[in-house]
Structure formats: structure tokens, C-alpha cells
Amino acid sequence: MTAPIMLVAPFSGWLTALAEVPDAVFAEGMMGPGVALDPLDGVLCAPCDATVVALASTGHAITLGLDNGAQVLLHIGIDTVALRGNGFDGAVMVGEWVRTGQPLIRFDLDRVAAGARSLITPIVIASPGFALVDAAPTGAVATGSPLFAVIPEAATVAEDPEPAGDICERSVVVGLEHGIHARPAARIAAVLATLSADVEVFKAARQAAARSPVALMTLDARGGDTLVLRAQGPDAARALDAVAALVVGADPDAHEVAAPVAVAAGPVCASPGLAVGPIAHLRVTEGTVPPDGEGPDHEHQRLALARRAAAARLGAGGIAEAHRALIEDPDIGRIAAQAIDQGRSAPWAWRAATRSHAEAWSATGNPRLIERVADLADVAGQVLAELGHGATLAPVAAGAIVVAQDVLPSQFGALCRDGAPGGLCLAGGGPTSHVAILAAAAGIPMLVAAGPDVLAATEGALAVLDAGAGQIDLAPDAARIAAARAAIADQAARRAAQRAMAGALAQTACGTRIEVFANCGSVEDAHAAVAAGAEGCGLLRSEFLFLDRADAPGEDEQRAMYQAIADAMAGRPLIVRTLDVGADKPLAYVPMAAEDNPALGQRGIRLSLARPVLMATQLAALVAVQPAGQLRIMAPMVVDRGELRRLRAMVDQAAGKAGIADAVRVGVMIETPAAALLADQLAAEADFLSIGTNDLTQYALAADRGNPATAAMIDALHPAVLRLIAHCTAGAAAHGCPVGVCGSAAGDLLAVPLLIGLGVGELSVTAGRIAAVKALLRTVTLVEARALAQAALAADSAAAVRALVRAKLGDRLQES
């Protein structure tokens, strides 16, 4: 008898039954028997000696062939195929022999957790004829701990006649957005289990039996690929229809994938502002690339060194990390390596591989993905430059309005090094592209999706770009140019004046004090806030201490960080929000069940109360901050007085253990309609209330702010949201409880007069908004704000409210 092969844990985590996986394909055993492991590590290691049979092009799954003929699938997370490889880095190649404990896939726990339904990882025997024995009990396991053994099932004698009947054949185009991955492969195999027919699937020269999910996955059939289906047997026609329907029909994941965002028909503002300057077309000269290499070994080494060097040159930050992930992408590397093996040069192979991916992304029709094509072109150019075949960029005069089809992030950096352009106007591009983020951060006006006509603009001709209005005037008259230049000068003067006055205490035109605090997430943020004129910190997001790590921060570490931030605030009030995470923002060291709707799940105060040790440690660190009274504690997602009382008891217990006699002020965030409606009850026992307008708006309007299809509905100036705020402030006023706002509405100049008119006494904004908010407050009286707020409550839409405020305040709203 063949000896059992023992599989060990590929990473540390929480072992659970396969039936607990939030996906019927795995939970119901459609992929085969196995277990599931919720990871605490970001490296998937080989569970035994094996051969790599398949590695998903998206890097989220790998199939291993064992010595006894069994095949084992390790599938990192649920719905991770939708991440398209983001956060995954394959460390092996198909056909490679691996040893137990050897790294197979490295993955970014936070990035994957943020984009997937669950991190729980099924480990299943994906080939028939084998059984699972000696399974370890559920619970915590360490990397290398035994999981289960794989043995061949007892042989059975069964008739296996040659399929009878004619052969049916059909060509189909894969309509599944993410191709044939684990779920559709398992469903194809499941539907064939009820039919008497053999079905083979062909992709070019590759072939797979449709009854084998693993074989189907090794085809790497992607959306848009053409496949040939061939069936034979009594049920051949029905089998062909069933398989074709699954291949070309709706993706089983479609209900979980956000709908593509429609691109506006006209110019779109990516970064607001006004600019006057000469038109300068972006002119790029591509480097020549030799097609033939000097031998595979030499070219492989050249490409490896170039990729490493290009990745090393990237700095820190989200855009750099995104580019680094593309440079290190294993699938791009695999395609380039194949071309090199066929005799091509390293630069030719690299350019061909990146172009292949760019074409595939463009073919999806997804605007967000199409925006990322520019990133692919950018990293292609960076590696080609390291190989000595980079493109050259013609110089552009400082202050010019750059016109182009698109601009790459690295090109934007080069333009700014030569002297910042006055503005950018792109025929293509999108408002969420990386270059749009860079332009907004640099304060450079930018229009995108302006259409091809802009590319016909005359080089050197003077133009006026008003990005905020979504306009570019390619033939302005003298009066238009003069007016634009005057407006730009006025903006600069206004900003300088606002910054000069930012250090003064905020008050209205009638002398009413309104506190203007800052939202912070680090010591650096606190220093920047004070420098910008913040009078305190109205929201310190404490989860920055808990994320991006394998274990929870201890009391000493937390206390030191909170104290450092308090010191940076130099005696100003510091309001700390207790840990605010959930299934949508999970912690690696806190096992959490997957939730269909994390926004309505165990998050915020609910999670903290369910994890009392975690909460007690944080509270002990918070109450120890000196001087006493500077730090205040605020709980997120509170719904009613019961939760507040439990929090208060835990704070008092922490203070008592530390020998702190002075009461610590405790407040709650008003983020749910329930809390707003019960504000009078909460205010009777809380020391303060702080309205989180971002969540309050999405809950009140039943619109997910993370869903592109509904994000446009999210507007805190909707009368329904304003009425909840009014109810909250009225309830708080009855008990003399102060109310602040720490959501994004606090920094929206159209919202500011409404909020203070409704009774809000503290606004917590980003550091960059402090000067403008204080400047606006100095122009508005409380009587005027109250009248405006009452009129807004009677409006019928957010748009009507915004129009109302603009009409009443006019030029006082100008900030830039």
C-alpha cells in the first residue's frame, strides 16, 4: 500500500473545517475534500515535497502534484481572482520541484484582505481517487504543523466504456470577467457529473478534461479567449450546451464585482484650478529595441537586473508600490521569459509582455482598468531605460499647459523637475489615475477625457485652463486672458492671507467661537496640523497602530505613541477614536468570519467589546497619557446608550487600575441614523458627540460609498442627512453636550455654514483645509448661518442645498 503523504500548514493561522468557507464551491466539497486555514502570515509555503502543476496567472492559487499522483489546490482567500494579481507575487514556476516549507506565493495581507471577500484559504485534494485522513483538530496552527494526510482510495472495478455517439464541437468566447478560475471550473465539473459524456476543452495547443477543475484552471483561460469545446457520449449535446453556457454566461462572481464606472462624455476635472499658459504638446521619442538576443542566459540575466534596478529606484507611497508590483509581476515576467527562450532580446521581450497585458486590460472595457494601462506603459519604460532603450521626453517650458493623450507618472515627475507646468489637459485618462493623484497633490490644474480635438491645439498658442469648471479655452481673447490672470493672482493672494491668519482662534463674523481641529493618523500628521493652525485634534485614527503587523501592539508601545502625539499637539485637545476595524478592514491577528456586508457587521465598538482584552489594553494606554485631561476617548459605531455604558465602565476600570483620579472624558461618534435619533439619550451620559458624516450619509441614503455605482449619491448636504444632524444637535443641546463633526463635510466650505447653523461647535478637518475653513467662518454670522440651515432643511435634494448656499454666500466661498 502506498504510504500516506502528510501535508503541513503552509502558513500560521486558524484551522477550520472546509464547510466554514464562505463559498459553496469549496464548502460543499465540489473541488474535493480538504481543510481551510485563515492566514496570519503573508507567505504561502509548500505543504509537502511536490511539483508545481499550475500557478494562476493572478497569483492567488497554486496546484501541486504529489508523489502518489494526487493534486492539491491551495487557494488564497475567497474572490481573490478579482484582484487581478494585485498583492500577490509568485515565487515558483510551473514544472518546478519544491520542497516542504519552500515559499510558493508571497501576498500582502492588508491589500488582499481589503479587496477580497475573505482571507480564509481552502486546501483541497482536487483530484479524484484520493482521500483525506488524520486531519488535525481545528484551532491555531503554526507554519509546518501537520494538517492532514493524503492516501489513494481503495481501487474499485468499474466499467469505463468508450463514449458512444457522435462528436459535438463548438467554439466559444470566454465571457467570464475573471476567466475560468476555481469557482467556474468546479461548476463545470459539477454539471458534467450528472451527464454521460466526455468533454474536452481546447485553448490553442493546450487541452483539458472538463471534468477536472484543476485541468481547466491550468488552461489559464481568460475573459475574451476563444475555446473549442468537444463532447462525445449519449449526453454530448446537453453537456456541450451546459459547459458553453457556463463559459460564455455571467461570471459566478459578477454579483460581487463593482460595476464599471462610466466615463463622462465631456472633460472631467482631475485636479481643480486655473491656469494661463502656452500650449505644449508632450513629445516622446521611443527608444529602438533590437529584436534578437545574445543568448537566453545572457538576456534573462539582463532583464532580471533591469527589473530589480527599476524597482529599487521607486520611492515609497501607494503609487510607487503599485508600480513595483507591476515590475515584479510574475505573469509579465513569465511571458517575457518565454520570448527570451525563443531567442528574443530582453528589451524586446519585456516590451512585448507589457504590451500584451495592456491590450488585455484595454479589451475589458472597464474604465478603471483602462486607466491603469498608463501604469503598465510607465513601468515598461522604466525597465527599458535600465536596459539602455528608454524613451526620451522633449523639454516643456515651466508654466505651459501640457496637452497629450495621456501622461505617465514618471513623465509627470520629469515635467515637474524641469519646472512645473501650469496645467495639464489630456485627451484620455481618468480622474482616478495615478497621474491625477500626483497633479492634485502638487496643486496643478488638470483635465482628463477632453477628447481628441484637444490634440489639434496649436503649439505655443496661449490657452486658459479652468479645470474646476471642466473647460479649456484654446483661443481666448485678450479680455478672457486678463480676467483669468487676475483671478489667479487673486487666488494666490487669498491663499497667502488665509495662511497668515490660520494661527488665530476661529470665530464667526459675530464673534461666536467655533473650534477648528484636525483629523490625524500619525505623529507627523499632528505636527503638520499644529503648523497649519489646528486648535486640537478632533479625530486620531488609532488603527494606524494596529494595521500592517502580525501581532497586536502592546500597552507600552501604544502609550508611547499616544504620548508622542499628545506632545506634538502641545497641550491642545486630543480626541482618540478607539480601534475602528471590521471584516472590511481586518487585523491579521484577530480571526474574523467573512461577512456579506461588513459595513453592517461586527466593526467599531462592536468588535472592541467582543474582544475585551484588545480593548482593555488600548484603554490602559490611553488613560495614561499626560497631562491629565488633554486626551479624550471616542468610540466609533455606537448605536445606543448600552454600548456607551459598557465603554464608560471599561474606561473607569482602566483609570482605576492606573490610579488616575481625574475622570477621563468619553464621547461617541454619531455615524448611524439610530445614534442620531437617540442623540438625546447618548448626550445625557456622554461628554461630547462627534458626527462622522461619511458613514452617517451612506447609512442614511442606503448608498455604499465604496461602490462606484452609488458613490455619486453620497452627499452629506442631502436634506435627509442634514435633518439627522439637526436632530442630533437638538438632542445634545438639551443636555449641554457639545457636538463636533469629524467627517469630510467639516472641510466642505458649502457645508460649514450649515453645520454651525445647526448647532455644531467644532469642525475637525484635514490640515490643508484649516486656513480656508477659518477664513470662511470669519465672514458668516451665526444668525445668517441659522437661517441658511433652516432653508436647507426644507430643500428637496443635495444639489438644491448646494445651489442655495452658493447663491447666499457668493464670493465668500472662494478659497483658491
Side-chain angles (χ1 to χ4, degrees):
M1 179 178 177
T2 304
I5 294 179
M6 177 60 68
L7 270 65
V8 300
F11 41 55
S12 63
W14 188 267
L15 182 65
T16 188
L18 195 63
E20 298 300 317
V21 175
D23 187 322
V25 165
F26 291 106
E28 296 175 8
M30 295 169 66
M31 288 297 296
V35 298
L37 191 56
D38 206 347
L40 295 180
D41 302 329
V43 180
L44 178 83
C45 298
C48 62
D49 295 350
T51 301
V52 179
V53 174
L55 176 63
S57 60
T58 47
H60 71 289
I62 190 169
T63 303
L64 303 177
L66 280 53
D67 284 345
N68 61 4
Q71 293 187 345
V72 174
L73 170 68
L74 297 94
H75 193 286
I76 302 172
I78 302 301
D79 293 343
T80 41
V81 66
L83 298 179
R84 301 181 181 274
N86 290 322
F88 295 96
D89 184 8
V92 294
M93 299 179 62
V94 173
E96 184 175 340
W97 170 256
V98 295
R99 306 289 295 182
T100 305
Q102 179 178 336
L104 303 177
I105 301 172
R106 294 181 174 85
F107 57 103
D108 186 323
L109 274 171
D110 290 334
R111 186 186 298 184
V112 175
R117 180 144 58 109
S118 171
L119 274 175
I120 195 165
T121 297
I123 305 169
V124 301
I125 304 171
S127 51
F130 294 87
L132 179 156
V133 297
D134 300 330
T138 59
V141 296
T143 304
S145 301
L147 289 184
F148 61 84
V150 179
I151 62 171
E153 292 180 326
T156 57
V157 178
E159 295 185 1
D160 187 18
E162 189 73 13
D166 296 335
I167 295 176
C168 301
E169 189 171 295
R170 184 184 305 174
S171 293
V172 295
V173 175
V174 179
L176 307 173
E177 181 180 0
H178 305 304
I180 301 180
H181 55 94
R183 185 176 293 112
R187 290 182 173 171
I188 289 171
V191 75
L192 288 177
T194 64
L195 299 173
S196 179
D198 289 341
V199 180
E200 298 289 326
V201 182
F202 298 83
K203 176 186 173 185
R206 302 166 71 179
Q207 175 181 355
R211 291 181 182 274
S212 167
V214 169
L216 284 173
M217 291 163 64
T218 59
L219 282 179
D220 192 23
R222 309 181 190 186
D225 285 350
T226 299
L227 305 179
V228 174
L229 310 180
R230 184 177 297 164
Q232 185 174 22
D235 295 328
R238 291 173 57 201
L240 203 64
D241 289 341
V243 174
L246 288 171
V247 171
V248 305
D251 191 332
D253 297 334
H255 66 286
E256 297 152 7
V257 179
V261 181
V263 176
V268 176
C269 176
S271 175
L274 190 62
V276 177
I279 292 291
H281 287 272
L282 189 71
R283 304 193 187 281
V284 181
T285 303
E286 295 287 345
T288 57
V289 173
D292 299 327
E294 299 177 11
D297 290 344
H298 174 68
E299 300 298 331
H300 280 306
Q301 184 178 22
R302 285 183 67 201
L303 182 56
L305 291 174
R307 292 173 73 184
R308 196 174 303 132
R313 288 183 187 276
L314 295 171
I319 295 176
E321 289 304 317
H323 281 199
R324 186 174 289 108
L326 288 175
I327 289 174
E328 298 172 350
D329 184 89
D331 199 43
I332 296 177
R334 177 182 59 81
I335 295 173
Q338 290 174 347
I340 289 174
D341 288 338
Q342 294 169 2
R344 297 302 188 183
S345 69
W348 192 98
W350 177 254
R351 190 169 70 180
T354 52
R355 284 180 175 176
S356 172
H357 274 65
E359 291 169 359
W361 286 6
S362 297
T364 66
N366 185 325
R368 291 288 175 88
L369 200 55
I370 292 171
E371 286 179 0
R372 297 297 179 256
V373 170
D375 294 315
L376 263 180
D378 207 351
V379 300
Q382 293 174 50
V383 174
L384 287 173
E386 295 292 341
L387 290 166
H389 298 278
T392 57
L393 187 68
V396 171
I401 296 176
V402 176
V403 171
Q405 176 64 35
D406 206 346
V407 173
L408 307 179
S410 63
Q411 293 170 346
F412 179 84
L415 289 171
C416 291
R417 283 193 297 272
D418 294 337
L424 294 94
C425 183
L426 308 184
T432 61
S433 65
H434 282 154
V435 75
I437 296 169
L438 293 173
I444 297 176
M446 179 178 173
L447 275 184
V448 296
D453 290 348
V454 73
L455 299 177
T458 303
E459 181 80 14
L462 211 57
V464 174
L465 175 68
D466 187 348
Q471 298 174 349
I472 182 169
D473 190 342
L474 297 175
D477 57 25
R480 176 77 171 101
I481 294 171
R485 284 177 170 162
I488 292 170
D490 185 53
Q491 288 174 355
R494 189 181 303 114
R495 286 173 176 168
Q498 290 174 355
R499 288 194 294 268
M501 293 289 292
L505 294 179
Q507 61 181 20
T508 64
C510 57
T512 303
R513 262 294 272 132
I514 302 293
E515 294 177 311
V516 176
F517 287 4
N519 297 336
C520 300
S522 66
V523 176
E524 293 74 20
D525 285 354
H527 283 296
V530 171
E535 300 166 16
C537 172
L539 170 64
L540 175 64
R541 304 178 183 91
S542 66
E543 51 271 13
F544 78 95
L545 265 170
F546 294 80
L547 299 171
D548 300 317
R549 56 191 301 156
D551 52 6
E555 180 182 337
D556 291 344
E557 180 186 351
Q558 291 191 56
R559 181 172 58 250
M561 182 57 70
Y562 301 141
Q563 187 64 59
I565 294 173
D567 293 343
M569 295 306 300
R572 296 170 178 82
L574 171 60
I575 300 176
V576 181
R577 181 178 69 189
T578 57
L579 182 62
D580 187 15
V581 296
D584 56 339
K585 190 167 49 176
L587 300 175
Y589 43 87
V590 179
M592 294 185 64
E595 297 176 344
D596 290 336
N597 193 341
L600 301 179
Q602 191 179 60
R603 55 173 294 201
I605 189 64
R606 301 170 185 174
L607 177 65
S608 294
L609 293 175
R611 305 280 179 173
V613 174
L614 198 66
M615 181 67 154
T617 301
Q618 182 175 30
L619 294 178
L622 289 170
V623 299
V625 171
Q626 297 295 319
Q630 179 187 6
L631 186 142
R632 308 166 191 176
I633 296 173
M634 177 171 69
M637 285 297 292
V638 170
V639 169
D640 56 36
R641 193 158 47 184
E643 292 172 329
L644 172 59
R645 288 172 175 170
R646 292 178 65 186
L647 171 64
R648 175 80 76 177
M650 294 183 73
V651 172
D652 290 345
Q653 184 179 28
K657 285 184 177 180
I660 298 171
D662 297 329
V664 179
R665 279 183 276 188
V666 176
V668 298
M669 291 190 71
I670 305 298
E671 300 175 277
T672 66
L677 294 173
L678 297 177
D680 58 333
Q681 297 180 11
L682 292 169
E685 300 188 23
D687 294 307
F688 62 93
L689 305 180
S690 185
I691 301 172
T693 53
N694 299 349
D695 272 335
L696 181 63
T697 302
Q698 78 163 342
Y699 292 136
L701 302 182
D704 181 2
R705 57 191 174 107
N707 185 339
T710 58
M713 299 171 58
I714 301 295
D715 193 330
L717 270 62
H718 193 286
V721 181
L722 294 177
R723 291 189 183 193
L724 286 173
I725 294 174
H727 191 89
C728 174
T729 54
H735 298 279
C737 180
V739 179
V741 172
C742 60
S744 60
D748 183 344
L749 296 191
L750 291 173
V752 166
L754 302 177
L755 295 174
I756 65 171
L758 291 173
V760 171
E762 176 247 303
L763 302 170
S764 192
V765 303
T766 59
R769 305 293 292 169
I770 292 172
V773 169
K774 286 188 174 183
L776 177 60
L777 286 172
R778 288 191 291 268
T779 71
V780 181
T781 67
L782 197 56
V783 170
E784 184 180 20
R786 286 171 176 165
L788 192 57
Q790 291 305 308
L793 292 176
D796 60 3
S797 68
V801 171
R802 290 185 177 276
L804 172 69
V805 179
R806 287 193 182 96
K808 292 291 185 181
L809 299 187
D811 291 344
R812 285 181 283 177
L813 291 168
Q814 294 182 4
E815 58 161 327
S816 60

